[in-house]
Amino acid sequence: MSRRKPSRAERANRATRPRGTPGRTPRQGGPVAGAPEPGAPCPCGRAGAAYGECCGRFHGGGAVAGTAEELMRSRYAAFALGDPAYLLRTWHPETRPARLDLPGGRRWRGLEVLATSGGSPFHIEGTVTFRAHYATADGESGTQSEHSRFTRHEGDWVYLDGS
């Protein structure tokens, strides 16, 4: 008996469904050591967003990002919070490193999303161009800019690579 291939809309709906709903297998996740309180402002900088209702739900495994931009913001927040497990979990298996050691001495201060292309719940690929601001341990300020590529893997958005 052959199975019907799901439509693009069905695949997109499956990717935005919260964890624990039919058709989804839970991903590992849990509380991040040093994470802000759920009601605190989210490190990703989304206006008026509380961590628990924004990136915290992705970090804890309670939901998956519905767009490439949501995933990029949640990955920035994971960098800011020092959560390499989430970063590895949301990295495409073909480009994912075996391990990830986050550099110390940087405090991430803010995120600017400069441009997006594709990456909606109805796309299978997308890009996000951003600028992240940081301060070093000795008080120096800096920025990191990237044009990141995202794709779907097993229905979920994952980071592919950046330039």
Side-chain angles (χ1 to χ4, degrees), residues 59-137:
H59 295 167
V64 295
T67 67
E69 182 180 344
E70 278 185 340
L71 180 61
M72 190 280 309
R73 286 181 172 280
S74 70
R75 286 176 57 83
Y76 166 83
F79 269 103
L81 297 172
D83 184 2
Y86 179 78
L87 295 167
L88 290 169
R89 229 175 31 247
T90 58
W91 208 313
H92 195 284
E94 291 181 10
T95 57
R96 178 189 318 139
R99 59 181 269 167
L100 182 62
D101 296 318
L102 299 179
R106 285 190 178 175
R107 286 186 325 249
W108 295 97
R109 301 288 218 178
L111 175 68
E112 292 177 84
V113 174
L114 305 173
T116 62
S117 174
S120 81
F122 301 104
H123 290 103
I124 58 171
E125 296 177 339
T127 64
V128 179
T129 304
F130 69 90
R131 183 179 306 126
H133 301 268
Y134 64 86
T136 64

